[in-house]
Amino acid sequence: MRKTITVLTFALIATSANAEPIEQRIAPCLACHGENGQSQTENTPSLGGQQAPYTLIQLFMFREKLRTFEPMNEMAKGLTDDDLRLFSDFIAKMPKPTPPPEAGEAGEPARLQRGQALVQQHRCDTCHNPDLSGKENVPRIANQREDYLAKTLAEYKDNSRHGYDGSMADVMAPITPEQIVDLAHFIARMH
């Protein structure tokens, strides 16, 4: 009898959790990733305007631990396939992040030009679109947090970040750490 009650209790909890509106269910995600689609948390990506198919794949990979980051693995472990689609569609409709305010730093124009030249030289705009907005299963990188971009690009370069597509490791192989800094700076400030 006790086992039946426990099973029914878990079933009721699961059902009531799934009955919550998406705005309530996604609130824990937005606490780190930004309520307005733009993260204010160091080394945490902005989700706003991210492509739904890309987000779906990432959530699936976190749920299945094909991509490991304990907080995300924990958050995604109880999500159903329908939940993954619901979250992905919601994220795709959030406002796109905006570039940070101009800092007016010395050397800023030269740094932006170097970053733009790297985007063109390494053909980032081929997969990520000319405005770096992403497409289908390719992420939006425009206006992403600069610290997150630099960290992610460095991880692709040293092959510590694994994804479902190994092409980023190949793209990043010839890029120097100094160039990563310029690249992240430019991409974060796309207009």
Side-chain angles (χ1 to χ4, degrees):
M1 178 72 168
R2 179 175 275 201
K3 184 176 181 181
T4 305
I5 292 172
T6 303
V7 170
L8 288 173
T9 303
F10 283 126
L12 286 173
I13 290 169
T15 302
S16 65
N18 290 337
E20 291 177 342
I22 181 65
E23 292 80 9
Q24 288 178 346
R25 294 187 67 206
I26 204 164
C29 306
L30 302 182
C32 293
H33 292 282
E35 288 183 35
N36 62 353
Q38 189 156 345
S39 173
Q40 301 300 313
T41 306
E42 186 177 350
N43 287 319
T44 302
S46 297
L47 297 180
Q50 197 58 264
Q51 304 295 324
Y54 172 77
T55 304
L56 179 67
I57 291 167
Q58 297 308 305
L59 288 172
F60 174 82
M61 289 177 67
F62 281 125
R63 183 185 74 187
E64 302 301 317
K65 294 189 177 181
L66 299 170
R67 182 172 172 197
T68 55
F69 180 63
E70 190 55 39
M72 286 300 302
N73 299 128
E74 188 63 28
M75 293 288 286
K77 76 179 182 183
L79 298 177
T80 66
D81 289 350
D82 287 340
D83 291 336
L84 298 181
R85 282 188 283 279
L86 182 68
F87 279 51
S88 299
D89 290 344
F90 184 87
I91 288 166
K93 293 174 186 163
M94 292 177 68
K96 298 171 186 168
T98 57
E102 296 296 323
E105 299 169 10
E108 178 81 8
R111 190 174 184 196
L112 290 170
Q113 287 175 344
R114 289 191 306 266
Q116 184 176 23
L118 287 164
V119 165
Q120 292 167 346
Q121 177 185 353
H122 295 282
R123 300 180 40 204
C124 304
D125 55 356
T126 301
C127 295
H128 293 277
N129 277 340
D131 63 354
L132 305 182
S133 63
K135 54 187 169 189
E136 293 299 314
N137 62 345
V138 177
R140 166 185 244 300
I141 57 174
N143 307 131
Q144 196 54 262
R145 286 185 58 91
E146 185 173 348
D147 57 350
Y148 175 75
L149 286 166
K151 175 182 168 289
T152 301
L153 293 171
E155 289 171 348
Y156 277 124
K157 179 170 179 57
D158 71 16
N159 210 22
S160 63
R161 182 178 180 117
H162 303 286
Y164 57 91
D165 180 356
S167 62
M168 280 301 298
D170 295 337
V171 170
M172 292 305 298
I175 297 175
T176 68
E178 296 78 21
Q179 290 174 321
I180 287 174
V181 171
D182 289 338
L183 196 54
H185 186 76
F186 173 74
I187 294 169
R189 287 159 178 77
M190 285 286 298
H191 287 281

